[in-house]
Amino acid sequence: MTIRPDPTFHASPKLAMEAPPESFAYTLLLSPDFSKPDALAVIDVKRGSPTFSRVVHTVVMPNKGDEFHHFGWNACSSALSPLAGHTFLERRYLIIPGMRSSRIYIVDTKPDPTKARIHKIIEPEEIFKKTGYSRPHTVHCGPEGIYVSTLGGGGKDGTDGPPGIFIMDCETFDILGRWEIDRGPQKLHYDFWWNLPRDYMVTSEWALPPQFENGIVPEDLLSNKYGHRIHFWDLRARRNVQTIDLGANHQMALEVRPAHDPVREYGFLGVVVDTTNLEGSIWTWWREGGKFHIEKTATIPAEPAPKDQLPLLLQGFGAVPPLVSDIDLSMDDKFLYVACWGTGEMRQYDVTDPRKPKLAGSIHIGGIVRRTPHPNGKAFAGGPQMVEISRDGRRVYWSNSLYSTWDDQFYPQGIPGAEVMANANPGGGLELAKDYWISFPDGYRAHQIRLDGGDCSTDSFCYPSV
Amino acid sequence: MGWPLAVSAGLMERSSRALVAALWPLTAGHLLAMLLVLFPFALLVALVEWQRQIQIGASLLVIGFGIFRLASRRHPRALARIPPTQLGLWSFAVAIAHGAGLMLVPIYLGLCREADLDQAHAAAGTLINANLGMAVLVSIVHATAMIAAGGCTAWLVYRYLGLKFISRSWFNLDTSWAVSLILVGAIALALVLAS
């Protein structure tokens, strides 16, 4: 608890954009064969620093087989909501869930990120007992504490009951219990986010653990058994108010990115693959007359490829799907970044008119068939995956691995962990920074990236940008 | 209390009318919290022969609540469950949770003392009415002062100072709030014991 609000808390997205640039990028490292413990890498991203673009500290966990994926801060700008009364928290602890182990690490990044260390470990049994959920995934700080989405229900394979969201105390990190009171037809889970003053939450769907833990299940995909719905909730009443089915062919509705400015009642959703033609798609949802609506607003076609250059899984199709595995919206709600992990492309869409995204920039790097190297000459295995945008929108960071078992199916030759950065032109357009290349210790892959002081997939705001 | 919510209401609707409209439920909620706390004491004061004990009890209650606030700094999670549209309920709940109403009790009992002695032989009914009237008056004066200050701050931030003021003006007053509750209770207790 502090006397004044944390200087990284901003009342509006506009004030967050005007804040000083990021100094450190935190990146989750994963041992894909579970031979080593997963880790958190701290990267120096200060321009002009002698250790710029280098890993300056690593927090190695005490267990193996956690499978790190997504993580988040204990507190963000939403703490400035007078309704919640958490104004004097610090943005200090990273909440890192082990997706395979259901264990959660709380890492303290203060007083110095280069001395970050484990503060607390929440063992899986506690999560199972108090929530009935497993496979914790996305983390957001919000009105009632820390919200964690899960991908699995109870039981050994996580299919005993539906997955959902649970809440943690934002000071003691105790697990408080399930968030949902009335989940309606929601049975699958993936991402979630919200509009705080408008008091709604949006959640998406991936799959149940048997459908992802040992790799993608081609039969389930071709019979459209992965998630294809989006759910809207009353945030405080914890009640499902509307569910929209995108159509069963739109498999894996993953990342949810609402407009940062809370006065804007729309957001985006990325869909990994359409089973009729392998294209990826971007959807825009909006609220009008008290009801939510959604429509497909951009598509990215599959690229034809010779069979002998394709992994076994794709040989029957003769094409590489873009596989839209992550999307991220800049703080000014102007540019949507779309990671095409299969074709090896980072797309930048101008979404000033949210229902008419316009392609404004593109970078090819990696890819199943293209295998485009970095401008510095190094090979970038895998494709653009978890993407993070600096608060001012000028720098876009991304890593290259999706999920251990899926990596092996789409990139059987392996994905050594790498992280790159592109400079974004305020008027549109992207260019890879030649001097930013992070390679991680052998045997590690890189997943999600968080920036100190907040980033475009962390912070939510209670006041509009005026 | 609650002025940052009035700023939010004004900015979200882009209208100063929305800001002013938000002040009404904030005032109503606060007023209701005051009255809810003061009314039982207004009724109790009719028991004139127990006046001293009531005043001592009230003082101890305020001190006790102050100590509780000091020991438990956490904001009740129930507050975070209130939707942003229910400003009146939020204002009511937050005033209760902070002990804003309780803090007025020693002042209120002090104000009533003279009147009570004068009317020592009056019918209990009259006494209750007089005390209820005093409770309402104390509550209204307090709520008016609070909302006038909060409303002015909200308007200045909305119109001139800008959103940076939101984070700049926030100070953690939890400790001083708890200490002032203890202080008010202790002063009241000392005055009762000295009389």
Side-chain angles (χ1 to χ4, degrees):
Chain A
M1 284 289 154
T2 56
I3 293 296
R4 302 290 319 279
D6 189 311
T8 72
F9 294 170
H10 310 285
S12 70
K14 185 167 171 281
L15 290 175
M17 290 183 71
E18 292 164 4
E22 64 280 4
S23 301
F24 294 97
Y26 299 91
T27 303
L28 288 184
L29 300 185
L30 165 88
S31 165
D33 59 2
F34 318 123
S35 61
K36 291 186 280 194
D38 291 357
L40 171 75
V42 183
I43 298 156
D44 183 349
V45 296
K46 282 189 299 289
R47 275 275 156 210
S49 161
T51 49
F52 173 73
S53 168
R54 265 191 259 162
V55 176
V56 287
H57 181 61
T58 308
V59 183
V60 180
M61 305 303 153
N63 299 286
K64 290 179 189 172
D66 285 318
E67 180 122 35
F68 284 171
H69 203 63
H70 289 197
F71 64 138
W73 289 105
N74 67 313
C76 76
S77 293
S78 71
L80 287 185
S81 162
L83 279 164
H86 300 141
T87 317
F88 303 102
L89 292 171
E90 283 180 279
R91 188 197 298 268
R92 169 169 187 164
Y93 301 96
L94 285 166
I95 318 295
I96 308 178
M99 192 165 141
R100 197 172 288 270
S101 65
S102 301
R103 187 178 285 111
I104 295 181
Y105 297 92
I106 315 291
V107 171
D108 188 353
T109 67
K110 285 194 176 175
D112 191 328
T114 61
K115 296 186 181 77
R117 66 200 181 279
I118 296 171
H119 168 74
K120 183 176 178 174
I121 300 174
I122 302 163
E123 292 299 333
E125 293 72 25
E126 189 181 342
I127 294 168
F128 300 152
K129 195 176 76 191
K130 290 184 175 167
T131 71
Y133 294 148
S134 62
R135 283 83 174 170
H137 189 256
T138 305
V139 178
H140 280 299
C141 43
E144 294 186 62
I146 299 163
Y147 295 58
V148 185
S149 78
T150 60
L151 305 181
K156 191 176 175 297
D157 62 0
T159 54
D160 189 4
I165 293 169
F166 66 81
I167 303 183
M168 288 168 73
D169 186 284
C170 54
E171 290 172 48
T172 60
F173 308 111
D174 288 337
I175 309 277
L176 298 175
R178 286 187 180 202
W179 173 76
E180 294 85 4
I181 289 173
D182 175 7
R183 70 174 69 247
Q186 178 260 320
K187 296 278 188 307
L188 299 174
H189 217 291
Y190 185 73
D191 200 17
F192 73 101
W193 218 353
W194 45 46
N195 182 321
L196 292 173
R198 300 297 191 204
D199 210 29
Y200 61 77
M201 183 190 270
V202 185
T203 70
S204 63
E205 296 187 340
W206 184 16
L208 287 172
Q211 292 175 298
F212 62 79
E213 281 194 332
N214 300 315
I216 190 167
V217 182
E219 305 80 56
D220 279 8
L221 180 67
L222 294 175
S223 53
N224 296 330
K225 283 182 182 156
Y226 284 84
H228 47 86
R229 294 189 299 179
I230 179 167
H231 307 273
F232 299 92
W233 307 73
D234 182 324
L235 179 61
R236 314 287 164 131
R238 305 176 174 188
R239 194 166 53 83
N240 180 319
V241 291
Q242 205 181 331
T243 290
I244 304 179
D245 196 325
L246 308 177
N249 53 313
H250 297 109
Q251 289 283 287
M252 297 182 255
L254 296 188
E255 307 296 329
V256 168
R257 301 284 179 241
H260 295 282
D261 190 343
V263 90
R264 296 174 176 155
E265 295 200 74
Y266 62 79
F268 301 92
L269 174 73
V271 171
V272 178
V273 65
D274 181 336
T275 47
T276 57
N277 55 13
L278 295 188
E279 73 182 13
S281 52
I282 301 301
W283 298 62
T284 307
W285 90 76
W286 69 98
R287 188 163 80 157
E288 204 171 280
K291 280 273 167 201
F292 292 94
H293 309 266
I294 191 164
E295 68 181 14
K296 195 194 293 185
T297 48
T299 56
I300 302 155
E303 295 179 356
K307 192 178 165 182
D308 60 353
Q309 288 182 34
L310 289 168
L312 190 64
L313 188 72
L314 295 172
Q315 283 179 356
F317 300 100
V320 184
L323 301 173
V324 173
S325 54
D326 192 22
I327 62 173
D328 203 2
L329 182 63
S330 63
M331 199 63 96
D332 56 4
D333 298 326
K334 198 171 172 201
F335 292 110
L336 185 74
Y337 292 87
V338 178
C340 305
W341 187 65
T343 44
E345 185 184 11
M346 178 59 73
R347 288 189 168 211
Q348 180 201 45
Y349 284 93
D350 182 334
V351 288
T352 314
D353 182 350
R355 285 167 66 185
K356 291 192 174 59
K358 287 197 294 263
L359 191 64
S362 162
I363 283 174
H364 277 285
I365 184 164
I368 292 170
V369 171
R370 285 176 179 262
R371 302 184 193 187
T372 316
H374 191 268
N376 68 7
K378 290 183 178 162
F380 185 86
Q385 218 280 302
M386 293 315 294
V387 47
E388 202 45 78
I389 312 163
S390 64
R391 293 178 291 280
D392 61 8
R394 297 299 190 91
R395 293 163 301 284
V396 185
Y397 301 84
W398 66 83
S399 63
N400 59 344
S401 142
L402 176 66
Y403 182 70
S404 63
T405 46
W406 294 44
D407 288 351
D408 299 340
Q409 286 173 302
F410 289 98
Y411 290 92
Q413 68 278 28
I415 303 183
E419 184 177 310
V420 298
M421 187 260 280
N423 291 306
N425 187 324
L430 271 181
E431 195 183 356
L432 274 167
K434 290 190 180 70
D435 60 350
Y436 191 93
W437 174 275
I438 317 286
S439 50
F440 297 98
D442 276 351
Y444 276 115
R445 288 179 191 166
H447 278 261
Q448 203 181 27
I449 303 156
R450 289 262 164 258
L451 305 177
D452 67 334
D455 46 54
C456 292
S457 68
T458 310
D459 272 40
S460 29
F461 302 88
C462 296
Y463 296 87
S465 294
V466 281
Chain B
M1 275 190 284
W3 66 263
L5 287 166
V7 175
S8 172
L11 291 173
M12 290 293 283
E13 305 298 325
R14 291 181 192 279
S15 113
S16 48
R17 207 173 278 179
L19 185 152
V20 176
L23 292 175
W24 292 115
L26 288 171
T27 314
H30 198 79
L31 186 64
L32 199 65
M34 304 298 115
L35 287 172
L36 190 82
V37 174
L38 290 185
F39 261 39
F41 288 97
L43 297 172
L44 281 173
V45 164
L47 308 166
V48 177
E49 61 267 39
W50 295 97
Q51 185 170 285
R52 195 176 155 82
Q53 285 84 339
I54 290 166
Q55 284 173 333
I56 292 171
S59 305
L60 290 174
L61 193 65
V62 177
I63 295 170
F65 193 76
I67 292 170
F68 166 73
R69 294 284 316 156
L70 205 57
S72 155
R73 311 291 182 81
R74 312 175 54 76
H75 282 234
R77 280 211 312 135
L79 286 180
R81 291 288 305 276
I82 300 173
T85 46
Q86 292 175 11
L87 292 181
L89 179 61
W90 178 85
S91 182
F92 171 78
V94 88
I96 293 283
H98 277 82
L102 208 56
M103 198 176 220
L104 291 182
V105 169
I107 299 163
Y108 162 73
L109 289 176
L111 281 174
C112 297
R113 192 166 51 192
E114 292 305 313
D116 296 345
L117 291 173
D118 292 346
Q119 297 175 37
H121 302 287
T126 320
L127 202 53
I128 288 175
N129 285 338
N131 281 307
L132 286 179
M134 186 60 84
V136 171
L137 188 67
V138 168
S139 303
I140 288 177
V141 168
H142 176 82
T144 308
M146 184 218 60
I147 216 65
C152 286
T153 313
W155 173 255
L156 285 174
V157 170
Y158 174 79
R159 191 75 182 80
Y160 302 104
L161 300 172
L163 276 175
K164 261 196 179 147
F165 190 80
I166 294 279
S167 50
R168 281 193 186 155
S169 62
W170 236 310
F171 281 92
N172 195 342
L173 294 174
D174 283 4
T175 310
S176 36
W177 183 249
V179 169
S180 57
L181 276 165
I182 297 171
L183 211 63
V184 167
I187 291 170
L189 188 64
L191 287 175
V192 175
L193 295 176
S195 67

